[in-house]
Amino acid sequence: QVEMVESGGGSVQAGGSVRLSCEYLDSTKKSVKCVGWFRQAPGKEREGIARIYVRDSLPYYSDAVKDRFAISQDKNNNKVYLQMNSLKPEDTAMYFCAADRSYLKGGGCYPEADEYDYWGQGTQVTVSS
């Protein structure tokens, strides 16, 4: 079983920065292969914005956040971070981290939310103009 706990959300003005943290408590030890960050705004579908392959820290970003957000990890402490810079009002959403016990052949992570097995409760990020 894996428990996911997000923290670090809040309110910020456009152009500002926020750092989200995700700690995953992996009772089965090293079963987590990928960690993804997803977000969901009111009335919109959940979208994947960043993910990281735990073994080699290979990151992936969606076009919406590429060059503004950075995903990183502290593998020893089972933590994954999402540094969000140059925030825009359209970044306002509930942000979730999720863990996947599977991975793509050759390395890398699945993009689809349905592939992820464990989810946190989410943390709200609100960006005002």
Side-chain angles (χ1 to χ4, degrees):
Q1 193 71 7
V2 180
E3 182 181 355
M4 313 294 290
V5 181
E6 305 101 336
S7 61
S11 297
V12 64
Q13 289 195 326
S17 298
V18 170
R19 189 192 195 206
L20 303 183
S21 297
C22 171
E23 182 175 10
Y24 56 96
L25 308 175
D26 185 355
S27 63
T28 57
K29 303 297 181 185
K30 296 187 178 180
S31 70
V32 173
K33 306 304 181 188
C34 290
V35 177
W37 282 99
F38 298 79
R39 67 184 182 186
Q40 188 166 19
K44 294 189 176 181
E45 292 187 358
R46 188 170 295 190
E47 69 170 315
I49 55 173
R51 55 192 184 265
I52 191 165
Y53 184 44
V54 173
R55 190 179 75 174
D56 62 8
S57 299
L58 181 69
Y60 169 82
Y61 304 97
S62 70
D63 288 341
V65 306
K66 192 175 181 180
D67 299 327
R68 298 189 298 124
F69 292 10
I71 189 170
S72 61
Q73 67 172 340
D74 175 356
K75 198 186 302 188
N76 291 333
N77 291 300
N78 287 1
K79 292 184 177 180
V80 173
Y81 304 99
L82 186 67
Q83 178 66 43
M84 306 190 295
N85 300 323
S86 301
L87 283 162
K88 305 174 183 179
E90 51 262 46
D91 293 317
T92 295
M94 185 72 78
Y95 284 73
F96 302 87
C97 67
D100 189 0
R101 293 175 298 175
S102 62
Y103 58 97
L104 293 167
K105 287 183 180 179
C109 303
Y110 289 98
E112 299 87 358
D114 289 348
E115 290 289 337
Y116 289 75
D117 306 297
Y118 302 99
W119 291 79
Q121 293 298 309
T123 185
Q124 177 69 34
V125 174
T126 302
V127 184
S128 58
S129 57

